[in-house]
């Protein structure tokens, strides 16, 4: 008998240029690409889940069919979320946008939180998107003079670069402790909270580093750092994925 393991969907980046393929000789001109770092796949598998990469679909109505086959979901990191979704114009330092991905994941996040008990983990962009889905907004570009540096693009993901402090009584404190060593690869962050979310971790400068959704009977955690990149060196991050998988297992694996 095969062990029944929960299936964890992971959202993918949607890249609108052909460089990912043409640069390594496996694609042609004018192709678009679905992409996901292997770290996400390994983190879910090592935690006892079966990872499934979820594409950006042309028909939003088809997303519901995907959800029938998963027990948990990770909103992965990636490009900036469009400020238009918050009713704002773009900051001059806004990065690459993918409105197709934004639209699908906003609808997906709303549906998951409102209509299902599927456990959810948001990571970096995923945290920002989940907050927007509930009516929140973002700091579009972090002022380093005020809040310190948060994008360490040249740093290996497995190395921590700063500390975050969790809130007493929160799920993230239960999972990872009072103080967590984290990596950092973001220039945006949560500003005003969306309805139902609570701040459960911050850094020493007041940047929101984790939020939890209080208004559903299911695990719903989002973090600003990248636990999939650092779980092999800092064990607290491994516990985040194990908790997601354990919560998904309670819902009943479909394998």
């Amino acid at each position: 008998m095969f062990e029944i393991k929960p299936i964890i969907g992971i959202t993918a980046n949607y890249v609108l240029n052909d460089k990912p393929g043409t640069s390594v000789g496996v694609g042609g001109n004018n192709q678009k690409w679905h992409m996901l770092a292997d770290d996400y796949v390994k983190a879910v598998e090592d935690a006892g889940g079966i990872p499934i990469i979820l594409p950006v679909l042309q028909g939003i109505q088809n997303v519901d069919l995907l959800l029938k086959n998963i027990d948990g979901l990770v909103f992965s990191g990636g490009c900036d979320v469009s400020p238009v979704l918050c009713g704002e114009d773009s900051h001059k330092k806004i990065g690459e946008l993918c409105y197709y991905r934004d639209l699908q994941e906003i609808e997906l996040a709303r549906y998951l939180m409102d209509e299902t008990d599927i456990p959810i983990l948001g990571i970096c962009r995923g945290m920002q998107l989940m907050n927007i889905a509930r009516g929140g907004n973002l700091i579009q570009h972090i002022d380093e003079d005020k809040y310190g540096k948060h994008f360490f693009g040249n740093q290996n993901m497995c190395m921590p670069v700063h500390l975050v402090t969790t809130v007493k009584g929160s799920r993230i404190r239960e999972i990872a402790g009072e103080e967590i060593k984290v990596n950092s690869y973001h220039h945006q962050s949560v500003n005003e909270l969306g309805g139902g979310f609570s701040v459960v971790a911050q850094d020493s400068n007041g940047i929101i580093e984790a939020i939890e959704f209080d208004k559903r009977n299911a695990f719903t955690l989002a973090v600003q750092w990248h636990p999939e990149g650092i779980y092999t060196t800092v064990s607290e991050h491994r516990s985040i994925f194990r908790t997601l998988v354990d919560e998904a297992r309670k819902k009943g694996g479909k394998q």
Side-chain angles (χ1 to χ4, degrees), residues 131-145:
N131 185 60
I132 290 172
R134 303 303 303 181
N137 63 14
L138 304 179
I139 298 174
Q140 288 193 41
H141 184 72
I142 295 171
D143 182 346
E144 291 189 6
D145 292 333

Side-chain angles (χ1 to χ4, degrees), residues 12-20 31-35 76-85 90-102 105 124-125 128-129 132 138 140-141 151 185-188:
N13 288 289
Y14 188 53
V15 182
L16 301 178
N17 63 59
D18 55 19
K19 289 182 181 179
Q31 284 187 307
K32 302 176 179 66
W33 291 84
H34 287 85
M35 297 176 58
S76 66
C79 58
D80 290 351
V81 183
S82 175
V84 171
L85 295 169
S90 294
H91 187 281
K92 64 181 180 180
K93 291 190 177 180
I94 201 78
E96 183 177 355
L97 304 175
C98 181
Y99 199 54
Y100 302 106
R101 183 185 181 192
D102 291 345
E105 292 186 7
C124 196
R125 166 199 156 89
Q128 297 163 10
L129 180 131
I132 290 172
L138 304 179
Q140 288 193 41
H141 184 72
F151 185 79
Y185 294 87
H186 64 105
H187 80 107
Q188 298 187 311

Side-chain angles (χ1 to χ4, degrees), residues 60-214:
I60 192 70
Q61 68 275 10
N62 293 324
V63 175
D64 182 48
L65 299 176
L66 289 177
L67 298 182
K68 295 182 184 302
N69 297 303
I70 66 171
D71 303 298
L73 189 132
V74 176
F75 284 104
S76 66
C79 58
D80 290 351
V81 183
S82 175
V84 171
L85 295 169
C86 305
E88 300 174 356
D89 292 327
S90 294
H91 187 281
K92 64 181 180 180
K93 291 190 177 180
I94 201 78
E96 183 177 355
L97 304 175
C98 181
Y99 199 54
Y100 302 106
R101 183 185 181 192
D102 291 345
L103 291 178
Q104 174 168 303
E105 292 186 7
I106 287 287
E107 290 301 314
L108 183 57
R110 288 173 178 160
Y111 179 77
L112 285 169
M113 287 189 277
D114 291 343
E115 305 293 338
T116 81
D117 59 358
I118 292 174
I120 306 169
L121 172 64
I123 294 176
C124 196
R125 166 199 156 89
M127 170 170 147
Q128 297 163 10
L129 180 131
M130 288 169 64
N131 185 60
I132 290 172
R134 303 303 303 181
N137 63 14
L138 304 179
I139 298 174
Q140 288 193 41
H141 184 72
I142 295 171
D143 182 346
E144 291 189 6
D145 292 333
K146 183 177 181 180
Y147 295 111
K149 184 176 181 179
H150 285 80
F151 185 79
F152 293 83
N154 294 323
Q155 178 68 50
N156 191 307
M157 274 197 172
C158 69
M159 303 301 293
V161 296
H162 71 85
L163 301 172
V164 303
T165 301
T166 60
V167 171
K168 184 177 180 180
S170 65
R171 192 71 192 275
I172 187 62
R173 177 170 288 196
E174 175 189 332
I175 294 168
E178 180 177 355
E179 192 172 68
I180 314 171
K181 300 172 184 177
V182 304
N183 53 22
S184 193
Y185 294 87
H186 64 105
H187 80 107
Q188 298 187 311
S189 66
V190 167
N191 184 25
E192 297 175 341
L193 281 180
F197 278 112
S198 297
V199 175
V200 292
Q202 292 179 278
D203 74 354
S204 60
N205 292 307
I207 290 293
I208 297 172
E209 292 281 349
I211 57 177
E212 293 175 8
F213 192 63
D214 307 319

